[in-house]
Amino acid sequence: MKTYTIAVLPGDGIGPEVIAAAEHVLETVAERYGIRFALERFPIGAAAVAAAGDPLPGQTRAAVTRADAVLLGAVGDPSLDQAPRHLKPETGLLALRALLGVFANLRPVSVHPALAARSPLKPERLRGVNVLIVRELTGGLYYGEPRGREASRAVNTLVYTTVEVERVARLAFAAARRRRGLVTSVDKANVLEVSQLWRDTVTRVGREYSDVRLEHLYVDTAAMRLVAEPAAFDVILTENMFGDILSDEAAVLAGSLGLLPSASLGAGPGVFEPIHGSAPDIAGRGVANPIGAIASVALLLRHGLGLGAAAAAVDRAIGDTLVAGARTRDIAGAGETVLGTWEMGERIAEAVRRAEREVRNEGSSAHSAPPIPHSALE
Ligand code: IPM
Ligand code: MN
């Protein structure tokens, strides 16, 4: 029996709670598909600062580099807001992304019909929404040097090289080719030199993909169109900071930040994590929505391990569970029964058993090809 080693980094706040539910779903997948997952837990973020004085300790670094994939909860703790940079939980996450070279962050956003009423947008605007945000993840303002803070002055630097733009652009075009064939590249080329390089480079890469349409939008216009006309987007390709902001905005379409997964990909092991943060205000109460983490498990199976049928079963199980009326508190309407984190995970794990059979009966060929060819990651 094949064994996959998954480095599990629960992290802070609601991280450990949503990860426990996600692991339960992974165990069900293992049982149904005759796979073995060696789930090894390591600290990151504030939990790692407390345990080892470092938000990404050496032991965690060693484990993630030799794993087949990394499953992450969330990092962040308000008690460390004033801590020096090297002790901030977020520094551990940025160091993890840099260490694994996961330059492309995929954030798929769709609206489940059962939850359309949870979004503040009008239902007719939400019809047909299916966006893939491809966020550059290891460059830009997050990593630029020099950086620093003085008493009355602070500096961050925005840098991109053509190589960094080319590789993430290729991935976005390759993804669009297998979707609806449209890439919207988002920049601020009317102001920033970096964005001009971005736009020129994306345009040049786009010529290699003559079957994919390319459009450019300024980030302010993109922010507006994302809520005014969200169904008009297919793949949104953008830099690190713009992608961070636009993906939280896009989560509003889906109805809750707690629903959305992400995959961070490079040439080595990928990192799979919900896009939400550690949510300290609700941590420890067992009420967080685990769907973002469980949908991240589906992305891990599909993109991290190439197990498309198992991924399809998990996605289907999430949908079936929502159709059956299961709700955590963030997505519950008036009068609906509210489940806790663990209960929601159990419902979805049970639904995986049924979904596995259905996916198998439909034939696995539909699920065998990953939506992003691995060649786009090298
Ligand atoms: C995200 C988060 C992180 C980011 C933080 C926690 C550093 O907001 O993954 O979107 O900004 O990348
Ligand atoms: Mn974010």
Side-chain angles (χ1 to χ4, degrees), residues 50-342:
D54 182 342
L56 190 68
Q59 186 204 17
T60 304
R61 288 173 183 269
V64 296
T65 44
R66 57 160 199 264
D68 292 305
V70 179
L71 178 65
L72 190 143
V75 301
D77 189 321
S79 74
L80 292 170
D81 280 353
Q82 301 304 320
R85 158 165 297 280
H86 72 280
L87 292 179
K88 278 189 180 293
E90 291 79 5
T91 301
L93 180 57
L94 299 196
L96 173 72
R97 291 169 176 172
L99 174 69
L100 296 178
V102 286
F103 62 85
N105 179 230
L106 275 49
R107 298 188 161 184
V109 182
S110 56
V111 183
H112 195 282
L115 296 181
R118 298 279 71 76
S119 171
L121 266 71
K122 296 196 184 80
E124 61 266 27
R125 295 230 167 130
L126 295 172
R127 208 164 299 128
V129 168
N130 188 337
V131 187
L132 176 66
I133 298 179
V134 178
R135 168 189 177 193
E136 200 292 329
L137 200 63
T138 52
L141 272 175
Y142 278 57
Y143 291 92
E145 297 290 345
R147 64 192 308 150
R149 165 93 194 254
E150 296 157 28
S152 58
R153 190 173 172 273
V155 181
N156 286 99
T157 308
L158 174 58
V159 189
Y160 269 107
T161 64
T162 46
V163 172
E164 287 175 308
V165 181
E166 277 164 10
R167 62 186 183 183
V168 72
R170 287 217 166 81
L171 185 133
F173 283 106
R177 180 171 267 175
R178 296 173 182 215
R179 295 169 48 98
R180 298 195 309 282
L182 172 65
V183 169
T184 304
S185 176
V186 173
D187 61 37
K188 192 70 184 176
N190 48 347
V191 178
L192 303 174
E193 282 77 4
V194 170
S195 282
Q196 291 154 14
L197 178 102
W198 178 280
R199 192 175 277 221
D200 292 347
T201 307
V202 171
T203 302
R204 189 157 35 71
V205 171
R207 293 197 191 106
E208 298 166 24
Y209 299 82
S210 53
D211 50 333
V212 177
R213 205 152 60 81
L214 170 63
E215 64 177 19
H216 301 277
L217 284 186
Y218 298 137
V219 62
D220 47 355
T221 312
M224 192 176 64
R225 264 193 54 200
L226 200 49
V227 285
E229 219 188 332
F233 291 101
D234 180 14
V235 174
I236 294 178
L237 164 64
T238 193
E239 60 115 86
N240 203 343
M241 176 74 115
F242 296 160
D244 181 45
I245 298 167
L246 292 179
S247 57
D248 268 33
E249 187 190 357
V252 173
L253 306 170
S256 168
L257 192 57
L259 294 165
L260 294 197
S262 82
S264 303
L265 307 177
V271 179
F272 302 86
E273 57 174 315
I275 82 162
H276 62 66
S278 58
D281 53 323
I282 57 164
R285 290 167 41 201
V287 300
N289 189 341
I291 291 182
I294 295 169
S296 298
V297 163
L299 293 179
L300 183 155
L301 295 166
R302 181 176 296 120
H303 296 293
L305 307 179
L307 301 172
V314 173
D315 280 335
R316 181 181 293 228
I318 293 170
D320 291 350
T321 306
L322 290 173
V323 168
R327 299 285 183 271
T328 44
R329 100 197 221 293
D330 57 319
I331 51 173
E336 284 183 313
T337 312
V338 172
L339 301 181
T341 309
W342 179 254

Side-chain angles (χ1 to χ4, degrees), residues 15-80:
E17 300 164 43
V18 297
I19 285 298
E23 284 180 324
H24 183 46
V25 171
L26 259 178
E27 279 154 12
T28 309
V29 167
E31 183 193 306
R32 300 305 294 183
Y33 285 88
I35 312 165
R36 259 180 52 86
F37 295 114
L39 302 176
E40 303 178 350
R41 289 177 168 239
F42 297 92
I44 190 170
V49 172
D54 182 342
L56 190 68
Q59 186 204 17
T60 304
R61 288 173 183 269
V64 296
T65 44
R66 57 160 199 264
D68 292 305
V70 179
L71 178 65
L72 190 143
V75 301
D77 189 321
S79 74
L80 292 170

